[in-house]
Amino acid sequence: GVSKLSFSPSGELLLTMGNNEMNSTIGVYKWIERRLLFTARLPGLGFYDCSFLSSDNSFGICGKDLVHFWTKSESHEPYRHYRGSTNLFPSQLQMTSIACVDGAVVTGSTSGALWLWEGRVLVKRVKVFRFPITKLFASSAGLFVSTQDGTIHLLSKELALQRKLDPFSRSDYHDIETLCWDTNREKLLVGDSSNCLREMGLNSASKFVMGCHSTCHSALTDFTIDTLNDNIITVGEDGFVRKWDKDARVILQQHNLERGLSCIAYNQGIEQVAVGFCKSDNCCSTDKTDVAFVILCGNDLTNITHHGHNSQKTLTVCK
């Protein structure tokens, strides 16, 4: 299975991170040509996030063992691996999320600190929040930072704090699982541990949008926004990928991929959806369990244009 998926800035490459804790791998795919360009074993255990950075030539992962970077100077060269250097800062930092904001690479940590990197060197503690950072999401509005207390902080592209957002009332607190910025409506969408999506403006309270994948053992695991058609696409542990009209709160399309789904990434330019599978409990190898992710047509979720594999059969991040 896959825990994270990430399309590159050009949309031509797909970064995947596996979810086999004993022997996870990362992969870079030129998915249109159905070609694996690069794969490597993760340098240890306990990695939580991955992302392409300012170009197709660099990406990073973060977790218990700080941050690791892969870069190359030219597109035809192989990626080279570098462990992040903390310089004068503590070396035992646990990083939970990584993002690139207007060319600047930032990571969030369990200490609540937001860190700025130059190349592979940690250069600055940008800000310290009261609670551990759980998610970073870079958008046209700036950098959204969620913390363990259920609060979301918006920072400018210069990483100055702009405002604090509270998606939950005190009596209705849930863990924040996913963040996504709707550029059409200039609204923030928040996915929480109750399998609900909430929408909020930067100057207004949150509004319940809909419950998704809410039956037993079918948690909402990730979602993305189809900005061209103004729809939401969700995936869940029930194996369904669903496209929603968020105004009418109805399902427009759905497709059962018959395995739990862990993550989703959307290529807005050519309307392709990458979906990662959860780790399979079945030790037997089959045609279905060998697949780590699939590429679907954005206009027709039943149309699978590519099946992706990695050496461990599972992926954890798709971006």
Side-chain angles (χ1 to χ4, degrees):
V2 176
S3 64
K4 298 286 181 181
L5 296 170
S6 176
F7 281 108
S8 66
S10 73
E12 295 181 359
L13 305 180
L14 180 68
L15 175 65
T16 66
M17 187 166 79
N19 58 14
N20 182 330
E21 294 182 358
M22 298 305 296
N23 192 13
S24 284
T25 60
I26 51 172
V28 177
Y29 296 81
K30 196 160 189 177
W31 60 272
I32 295 178
E33 299 178 4
R34 302 186 179 186
R35 188 157 56 95
L36 176 64
L37 297 182
F38 173 81
T39 186
R41 185 176 299 176
L42 291 180
L45 303 176
F47 287 94
Y48 308 128
D49 197 14
C50 71
S51 181
F52 274 104
L53 303 177
S54 58
S55 74
D56 290 18
N57 292 341
S58 62
F59 63 88
I61 65 172
C62 66
K64 293 180 180 179
D65 186 29
L66 199 65
V67 182
H68 291 254
F69 299 95
W70 281 261
T71 63
K72 57 183 178 179
S73 300
E74 303 291 339
S75 59
H76 64 273
E77 295 179 350
Y79 288 99
R80 293 178 176 268
H81 170 226
Y82 304 93
R83 186 181 186 274
S85 171
T86 56
N87 203 358
L88 300 177
F89 295 101
S91 60
Q92 300 303 315
L93 298 169
Q94 290 192 35
M95 301 295 184
T96 56
S97 191
I98 183 169
C100 187
V101 189
D102 206 24
V105 178
V106 292
T107 56
S109 65
T110 54
S111 68
L114 181 70
W115 302 91
L116 176 66
W117 298 78
E118 288 184 3
R120 68 182 187 93
V121 180
L122 184 59
V123 295
K124 185 179 180 182
R125 182 191 291 113
V126 178
K127 184 166 182 61
V128 179
F129 298 96
R130 290 182 57 197
F131 296 90
I133 293 173
T134 55
K135 298 285 183 183
L136 300 178
F137 184 81
S139 73
S140 57
L143 178 69
F144 290 99
V145 181
S146 69
T147 50
Q148 200 173 62
D149 64 330
T151 302
I152 300 169
H153 311 264
L154 174 61
L155 279 64
S156 69
K157 293 181 180 180
E158 294 75 32
L159 303 179
L161 183 62
Q162 299 293 297
R163 52 176 55 88
K164 185 172 74 169
L165 308 171
D166 294 307
F168 311 112
S169 65
R170 290 186 179 181
S171 61
D172 189 34
Y173 166 78
H174 301 283
D175 292 332
I176 294 173
E177 303 288 350
T178 313
L179 301 173
C180 201
W181 176 249
D182 188 338
T183 55
N184 290 339
R185 304 188 182 203
E186 296 191 342
K187 300 280 189 179
L188 179 67
L189 281 169
V190 181
D192 64 45
S193 56
S194 69
N195 301 323
C196 294
L197 289 180
R198 301 167 193 270
E199 182 182 73
M200 60 189 312
L202 299 183
N203 297 303
S204 61
S206 66
K207 179 182 73 173
F208 175 80
V209 177
M210 58 195 178
C212 310
H213 306 264
S214 56
T215 58
C216 184
H217 306 301
S218 60
L220 168 71
T221 52
D222 202 2
F223 72 92
T224 188
I225 297 175
D226 173 2
T227 57
L228 184 63
N229 299 298
D230 202 24
N231 297 318
I232 299 172
I233 305 175
T234 64
V235 293
E237 292 178 357
D238 56 359
F240 277 94
V241 53
R242 294 184 170 109
K243 180 180 287 189
W244 301 77
D245 182 319
K246 63 174 179 266
D247 290 324
R249 301 183 186 180
V250 296
I251 298 173
L252 301 175
Q253 262 187 55
Q254 67 178 1
H255 184 201
N256 187 357
L257 294 173
E258 301 180 16
R259 277 177 59 198
L261 306 176
S262 60
C263 52
I264 187 170
Y266 188 60
N267 187 327
Q268 304 284 352
I270 49 180
E271 296 188 71
Q272 299 288 323
V273 182
V275 177
F277 289 100
C278 296
K279 181 179 178 181
S280 175
D281 294 328
N282 184 359
C283 62
C284 300
S285 177
T286 68
D287 290 342
K288 289 182 179 178
T289 59
D290 279 347
V291 177
F293 69 95
V294 293
I295 303 288
L296 309 175
C297 178
N299 291 325
D300 180 6
L301 297 179
T302 64
N303 182 7
I304 300 177
T305 61
H306 177 60
H307 293 83
H309 304 253
N310 77 340
S311 61
Q312 301 304 316
K313 306 184 181 67
T314 63
L315 294 172
T316 55
V317 178
C318 183
K319 294 188 177 180

